[in-house]
Amino acid sequence: MVKQAPIAVIAGGGDLPGLVIRSAMAQGREVVTIAIKGEADASLSAFNPVELGWGQIGKLFSTLKSKGVRDVVLIGGVQQRPDFTSILGDFGTMWRLPRIIAAVVGGDDHLLVKVAGIFEREGLHVVGAHEVAPELVASLGHVAGPKPSKKALSDMTLAIEAVDALGRLDIGQGAIAVNARVVAVEGAEGTDAMLERVAALRENGRVRSKGAAGVLVKCSKPQQDLRLDMPGIGPQTIRKAAEAQLQGVCVEAGRVLVAHRDEVERLCDELGVFLYGCTRGEEAEA
Amino acid sequence: MVKQAPIAVIAGGGDLPGLVIRSAMAQGREVVTIAIKGEADASLSAFNPVELGWGQIGKLFSTLKSKGVRDVVLIGGVQQRPDFTSILGDFGTMWRLPRIIAAVVGGDDHLLVKVAGIFEREGLHVVGAHEVAPELVASLGHVAGPKPSKKALSDMTLAIEAVDALGRLDIGQGAIAVNARVVAVEGAEGTDAMLERVAALRENGRVRSKGAAGVLVKCSKPQQDLRLDMPGIGPQTIRKAAEAQLQGVCVEAGRVLVAHRDEVERLCDELGVFLYGCTRGEEAEA
């Protein structure tokens, strides 16, 4: 059997990089871990990472080449938000571009594609976390927690419709419908902040319902390059959905990552929040 | 000259009822002011209002008939959000319905029309504030403050597109675009809360720009019955737009109320925030 070339995981913050690395290793692949200084989680030290700062893009490419890497996964959050002008002329700029663009310039799809292009011009192949670790991706249908009620399925359909319209305009990836009404739509604030907003609307009575009601829907944008900025949920999403008194969380199957799936499923059961995988434009059915 | 029948203004909270009453009086119309107890502003006492509580709908109709009223304006905010079940069977329910529905049941257009129908079955004619006081409605084109830059006009076009898509789904009436990106979309939280969110996103660096950038767009829903729940802006909107470091505010001409227009225009000049009247689907031009 011919040995596969090692895969590089260029790791920003959060849990996802470690999950992707473990998954690739479990499949018998050799993994070169590149930990971005100031971003990557300390737990990655278990994988003997090469630590590189923003300015060390040249060293990044020489490292990858010396290890014989062909496939590269870019994964994890990037928190550092330096002033755009202060890093111009720094070759490291290009790696920051996706997040900088997202924070500064606007609709980022073209530039994300350009970032991938820069790697590809170096002879590397950018692959998505969902390709390396398909078990991290949401599956179709009812996944965990209680079975969705008819009302929840109808809220789900409504929120899918909203996310679909927003995604086409390159705006957001999430929406929350409660009792046949879309009450929150995700912009630059992110999913957690949107869930907190709905929790507040429930508390101050602007969104009323007896007991749990409503669904968070999270999808990829239709034009999204999943290799570069795939949306994800995790245990925190389920906790915040419970705090917002929602009945469930619905993610686009195959196009949204579910981190710590075991814990997510355990929390779904414990907190009574369902997890469901849908397709965009679907009329959800139980 | 035949004397016009008096008009009734059924006043909830805020400034708009007083503005509508003054405007009608300035046109020489006799006004019967009905102040909803616990909702109407104390300043309405200048108009010798009939004060009525939620339960006094029978008295409302007898008052209106005894005064020879034919036209009724329903205007102002309703803050009381009693539990839906606690007022079932109370005839006053019907008046609360628009807001209760908005808070509890979902897309409210059909029920608002039903509320108007109840008045009409009593022989009354529900008219919009914009019909009685057309000077309160936003006009087309540049209204006040600095002239919008090309970039602002392009943000405006983008946000109009978002509001248009949302309105068709009966979701919201407002959106904010900054530097060619829609960063916030209005759900149940309302325009002020959305502006506060963007101010926070500017502060924490998730939405970056040097100096003022971006535009708030507020439109009616395309299917909206303007007689019953016309959206509005006022001085507070301009102040919060300045705090969110926006360049301007754009409202749908003829379909959004501008309360305290003199003060709004003064604030626009003082704070450097433009006010612009657009049409839905317009490609804004300077």
Side-chain angles (χ1 to χ4, degrees):
Chain A
M1 199 174 113
V2 180
K3 196 170 170 249
Q4 276 191 296
I7 188 167
V9 174
I10 303 183
D15 298 333
L16 279 172
L19 295 171
V20 171
I21 293 165
R22 273 179 218 284
S23 172
M25 286 175 158
Q27 294 161 52
R29 284 197 80 164
E30 187 187 337
V31 178
V32 175
T33 300
I34 310 286
I36 301 170
K37 272 184 197 159
E39 300 287 356
D41 197 83
S43 67
L44 291 190
S45 62
F47 306 112
N48 296 317
V50 178
E51 279 193 82
L52 292 177
W54 286 123
Q56 296 179 278
I57 299 294
K59 191 168 173 201
L60 169 63
F61 285 127
S62 62
T63 302
L64 298 184
K65 279 172 197 177
S66 74
K67 305 261 186 187
V69 166
R70 281 210 304 266
D71 293 338
V72 175
V73 180
L74 307 172
I75 183 91
V78 174
Q79 295 303 320
Q80 290 175 42
R81 291 175 189 278
D83 191 288
F84 196 45
T85 52
S86 77
I87 52 162
L88 277 178
D90 174 344
F91 198 53
T93 302
M94 67 177 202
W95 162 244
R96 284 153 153 169
L97 271 179
R99 299 290 164 169
I100 290 170
I101 296 313
V104 180
V105 181
D108 51 9
D109 295 310
H110 290 107
L111 270 138
L112 286 168
V113 170
K114 282 184 193 163
V115 169
I118 290 167
F119 277 88
E120 275 160 8
R121 275 198 295 281
E122 300 277 339
L124 297 160
H125 180 217
V126 177
V127 297
H130 61 299
E131 296 170 273
V132 176
E135 75 281 10
L136 292 179
V137 173
S139 54
L140 195 62
H142 183 234
V143 177
K147 207 180 154 193
S149 66
K150 270 204 168 171
K151 236 173 111 182
L153 289 170
S154 134
D155 284 343
M156 195 190 296
T157 304
L158 201 61
I160 290 172
E161 192 183 45
V163 172
D164 193 49
L166 290 166
R168 283 176 206 288
L169 294 171
D170 197 15
I171 296 177
Q173 306 174 319
I176 296 171
V178 178
N179 290 336
R181 177 180 174 220
V182 176
V183 298
V185 174
E186 185 178 336
E189 75 278 12
T191 305
D192 282 0
M194 178 175 61
L195 284 165
E196 286 162 18
R197 183 158 86 241
V198 171
L201 289 168
R202 293 297 291 264
E203 250 166 57
N204 71 19
R206 291 193 69 156
V207 173
R208 274 180 174 278
S209 183
K210 287 205 173 167
V215 181
L216 161 69
V217 169
K218 194 157 177 180
C219 297
S220 286
K221 294 173 190 169
Q223 68 281 26
Q224 190 146 4
D225 185 335
L226 294 177
R227 298 174 306 165
L228 290 164
D229 198 17
M230 196 166 178
I233 67 157
Q236 183 74 341
T237 317
I238 305 302
R239 275 190 213 100
K240 284 191 183 290
E243 283 161 18
Q245 300 175 53
L246 301 184
Q247 280 197 303
V249 172
C250 168
V251 293
E252 191 179 10
R255 294 172 59 89
V256 173
L257 296 169
V258 180
H260 299 292
R261 186 160 178 157
D262 289 351
E263 197 190 339
V264 162
E265 295 188 9
R266 189 187 58 71
L267 279 170
C268 282
D269 290 334
E270 184 186 314
L271 301 173
V273 173
F274 68 75
L275 178 61
Y276 193 97
C278 67
T279 57
R280 181 181 290 276
E282 170 181 33
E283 287 268 338
E285 276 182 48
Chain B
M1 198 175 115
V2 180
K3 196 169 170 255
Q4 277 192 295
I7 188 167
V9 174
I10 303 182
D15 298 333
L16 279 171
L19 295 170
V20 171
I21 293 165
R22 274 179 219 283
S23 172
M25 284 176 161
Q27 294 161 53
R29 285 198 79 164
E30 188 187 337
V31 177
V32 176
T33 301
I34 310 286
I36 302 169
K37 272 184 198 160
E39 300 286 355
D41 198 82
S43 67
L44 290 190
S45 61
F47 306 112
N48 296 316
V50 178
E51 281 194 81
L52 292 176
W54 286 124
Q56 298 179 276
I57 299 294
K59 191 167 172 203
L60 169 64
F61 285 127
S62 63
T63 303
L64 298 184
K65 281 171 195 175
S66 73
K67 305 262 187 186
V69 165
R70 284 211 303 266
D71 293 339
V72 175
V73 180
L74 308 171
I75 182 90
V78 174
Q79 296 302 319
Q80 289 175 42
R81 291 175 188 277
D83 192 288
F84 197 45
T85 52
S86 76
I87 53 164
L88 277 178
D90 174 343
F91 198 53
T93 302
M94 68 177 200
W95 162 244
R96 284 153 153 169
L97 272 180
R99 299 291 164 168
I100 291 169
I101 296 314
V104 180
V105 181
D108 50 10
D109 296 310
H110 291 106
L111 270 138
L112 286 168
V113 170
K114 281 183 193 163
V115 169
I118 291 167
F119 277 88
E120 276 159 9
R121 274 198 294 281
E122 299 278 339
L124 296 160
H125 180 216
V126 177
V127 295
H130 62 299
E131 296 170 272
V132 175
E135 76 280 9
L136 292 179
V137 172
S139 53
L140 196 62
H142 182 236
V143 176
K147 209 182 152 193
S149 67
K150 271 204 166 170
K151 235 172 114 183
L153 289 171
S154 133
D155 284 344
M156 195 190 296
T157 304
L158 201 62
I160 290 172
E161 193 184 45
V163 172
D164 193 50
L166 290 166
R168 284 176 205 288
L169 294 171
D170 199 15
I171 296 177
Q173 305 174 319
I176 295 172
V178 178
N179 290 336
R181 177 181 174 217
V182 176
V183 297
V185 174
E186 186 178 336
E189 75 278 13
T191 305
D192 282 1
M194 178 176 60
L195 284 166
E196 285 162 19
R197 183 158 87 239
V198 171
L201 289 168
R202 293 297 291 264
E203 251 167 58
N204 71 18
R206 291 193 69 155
V207 173
R208 275 181 173 276
S209 183
K210 289 206 170 166
V215 181
L216 161 69
V217 169
K218 194 157 178 183
C219 297
S220 286
K221 294 174 190 168
Q223 69 280 25
Q224 189 147 3
D225 185 334
L226 295 178
R227 298 174 305 165
L228 290 165
D229 198 17
M230 196 167 178
I233 66 156
Q236 183 73 342
T237 317
I238 305 302
R239 275 190 214 101
K240 285 191 183 290
E243 282 161 19
Q245 300 175 56
L246 301 184
Q247 281 198 303
V249 172
C250 168
V251 293
E252 191 179 11
R255 293 171 60 89
V256 174
L257 295 170
V258 180
H260 300 293
R261 187 158 177 159
D262 290 350
E263 197 190 339
V264 162
E265 296 188 7
R266 190 186 58 71
L267 279 170
C268 283
D269 290 334
E270 185 186 313
L271 301 173
V273 173
F274 70 75
L275 178 62
Y276 193 97
C278 67
T279 57
R280 181 180 290 275
E282 169 181 33
E283 287 268 338
E285 276 183 48

